[in-house]
């Protein structure tokens, strides 16, 4: 017997909802509703250590909308996961009380390692299903060689996870598109000195991740979340964002570098005019692209596989 569940992922930049019909025996899911709102919950948290009042207002408004969707679709269970910004905020009690009042559940402020595991489950489930459906290539080669390195570039943190059918090693580090933008990319477009400082920050974080995660073992780089999917949409030249075209696309490493180079030279107005750009990502996409570029350069793999399935799907499957 299937059951309807609702998963909410509240990150530093966005809050997302997935309502799905889940088979507890197999973990297979039928998506009923998936939506995202850019609320920038992590606005200023890196500098102040607190949620801004206006960020809480935006987040609670999105939760009011999500509560109605969950009720309309009759989800029997809801799990609300809060990630990087919530781990850092001194006034997170106000946030927790607001979520409880609207959705009837307490948000789980999970660790970076747990966040990494949920992201891995969500992303690799889609890859393994696609692999099984496609069958081996000529000569028996896999479409998606393993081990996977799943990289989830968020607003406040980035998760690195290596594994095959389960997590072998994981590390969360404090680099993300919102955090790096607020720390370093202050001009429009950013100066070369600002970009260099951001790259140095990213490289230090990758070094830190490499202490725990054997990055060199990876045979497929799998990129998740809005920075990666936006870079993919730009590289694909999409006239508007198309989730189906982006999902499981393979973006060559040179294309990642080219998109990053172009974004670094753009003003905010020029970035906003990119057809596939979500308005909520205009201010932070350059930093997100920089993170992806540095990871691609570090690994030396030919491309990045882009997945639209991520921590949100992992949260849903955890309720089977």
């Amino acid at each position: 017997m299937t059951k309807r569940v609702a998963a909410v992922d509240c990150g530093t930049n966005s809050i997302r909802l997935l309502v799905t019909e889940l088979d507890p025996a197999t973990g297979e899911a039928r998506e009923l509703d998936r939506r995202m709102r850019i609320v920038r919950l992590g606005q200023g948290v890196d500098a102040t250590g607190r949620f801004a009042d206006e960020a809480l207002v935006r987040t609670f408004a999105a939760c009011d909308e999500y509560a109605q969707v969950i009720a309309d679709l009759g989800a029997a269970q809801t799990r609300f996961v809060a990630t990087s910004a919530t781990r850092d905020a001194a006034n997170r009690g106000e946030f927790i009380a607001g979520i409880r009042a609207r959705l009837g559940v307490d948000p789980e402020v999970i660790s970076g390692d747990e966040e990494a595991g949920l992201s891995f489950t969500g992303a690799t489930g889609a890859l393994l299903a696609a692999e099984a459906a496609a069958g081996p290539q000529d000569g028996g080669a896999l479409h998606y060689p393993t081990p996977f390195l799943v990289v989830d570039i968020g607003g406040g943190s980035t998760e690195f996870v290596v594994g095959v059918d389960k997590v072998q090693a994981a590390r969360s580090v404090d680099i993300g598109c919102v955090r790096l933008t607020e720390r370093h990319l202050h001009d429009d477009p950013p100066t070369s000195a600002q970009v260099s400082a951001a790259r140095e920050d990213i490289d230090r974080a990758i070094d830190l991740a490499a202490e725990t995660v054997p990055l060199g073992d990876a045979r497929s780089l799998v990129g998740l979340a809005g920075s990666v999917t936006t870079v993919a949409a730009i590289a694909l030249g999409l006239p508007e964002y198309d989730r189906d075209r982006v999902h499981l696309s393979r973006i060559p490493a040179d294309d990642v570098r080219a998109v990053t180079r172009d974004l670094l030279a753009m003003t905010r107005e020029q970035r906003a005019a990119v057809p596939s750009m979500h308005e909520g990502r205009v201010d932070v996409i350059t930093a997100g692209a920089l993170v992806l570029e540095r990871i691609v350069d570090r690994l030396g793999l030919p491309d990045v596989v882009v997945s639209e399935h991520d921590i949100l799907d992992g949260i849903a499957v955890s309720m089977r």
Side-chain angles (χ1 to χ4, degrees):
M1 179 180 293
T2 61
K3 66 174 181 177
R4 291 190 175 187
V5 300
V8 182
D9 167 39
C10 185
T12 303
N13 196 44
S14 65
I15 183 168
R16 301 179 303 141
L17 169 69
L18 171 63
V19 181
T20 189
E21 199 153 65
L22 189 66
D23 185 331
T26 66
E28 292 182 6
R30 183 172 68 89
E31 182 178 313
L32 302 176
D33 196 294
R34 186 188 295 257
R35 60 184 67 194
M36 175 194 71
R37 298 291 177 262
I38 301 285
V39 296
R40 198 67 57 80
L41 178 62
Q43 173 191 335
V45 169
D46 192 51
T48 68
R50 296 178 59 83
F51 290 129
D53 291 343
E54 60 268 33
L56 288 172
V57 168
R58 293 190 298 265
T59 302
F60 292 156
C63 288
D64 287 335
E65 173 193 343
Y66 290 179
Q68 188 61 55
V69 173
I70 292 167
D72 289 346
L73 291 176
Q77 185 178 352
T78 298
R79 185 179 183 193
F80 187 112
V81 167
T83 54
S84 176
T86 309
R87 290 194 292 268
D88 299 339
N91 59 336
R92 67 183 187 179
E94 182 181 352
F95 166 76
I96 290 169
I99 299 304
R100 184 188 303 127
R102 288 162 173 82
L103 294 174
V105 296
D106 283 346
E108 301 173 48
V109 184
I110 62 173
S111 69
D113 286 347
E114 187 175 1
E115 182 178 355
L118 290 170
S119 295
F120 184 85
T121 297
T124 58
L127 287 171
L128 294 171
E131 187 78 69
Q137 302 181 83
D138 292 342
L142 296 174
H143 296 267
Y144 308 107
T146 57
F148 302 118
L149 172 62
V150 174
V151 175
D152 186 343
I153 302 174
S157 64
T158 294
E159 283 65 55
F160 293 79
V161 198
V162 162
V164 180
D165 55 352
K166 61 181 179 180
V167 174
Q168 295 173 353
R171 186 68 176 266
S172 178
V173 292
D174 284 340
I175 51 167
C177 59
V178 175
R179 195 185 297 268
L180 285 168
T181 300
E182 292 183 350
R183 281 182 184 173
H184 301 295
L185 306 184
H186 302 139
D187 288 353
D188 182 35
T191 66
S192 58
Q194 290 168 0
V195 174
S196 293
R199 283 190 169 125
E200 290 173 5
D201 203 355
I202 296 164
D203 289 345
R204 283 193 296 270
I206 296 174
D207 288 341
L208 189 62
E211 293 177 3
T212 305
V213 179
L215 303 181
D217 290 353
R219 294 294 172 265
S220 294
L221 171 61
V222 184
L224 314 182
S227 290
V228 178
T229 57
T230 300
V231 168
I234 296 170
L236 292 167
L238 301 183
E240 59 183 11
Y241 193 84
D242 185 334
R243 184 169 178 264
D244 292 336
R245 290 279 305 279
V246 168
H247 185 51
L248 299 185
S249 61
R250 306 185 81 121
I251 307 303
D254 283 345
D255 288 0
V256 172
R257 297 182 187 105
V259 170
T260 303
R261 182 178 63 247
D262 290 347
L263 288 169
L264 285 169
M266 290 182 183
T267 64
R268 187 188 192 284
E269 183 178 5
Q270 289 169 327
R271 294 193 303 274
V274 174
S276 54
M277 182 77 66
H278 189 288
E279 63 181 359
R281 301 205 184 279
V282 173
D283 292 329
V284 297
I285 184 57
T286 303
L290 273 172
V291 175
L292 181 59
E293 177 198 56
R294 300 310 289 169
I295 294 169
V296 164
D297 286 349
R298 178 67 169 261
L299 264 65
L301 293 173
D303 56 25
V304 54
V305 180
V306 181
S307 178
E308 285 277 0
H309 290 195
D310 51 28
I311 187 173
L312 198 57
D313 302 83
I315 296 166
V317 170
S318 74
M319 290 182 278
R320 61 187 287 187

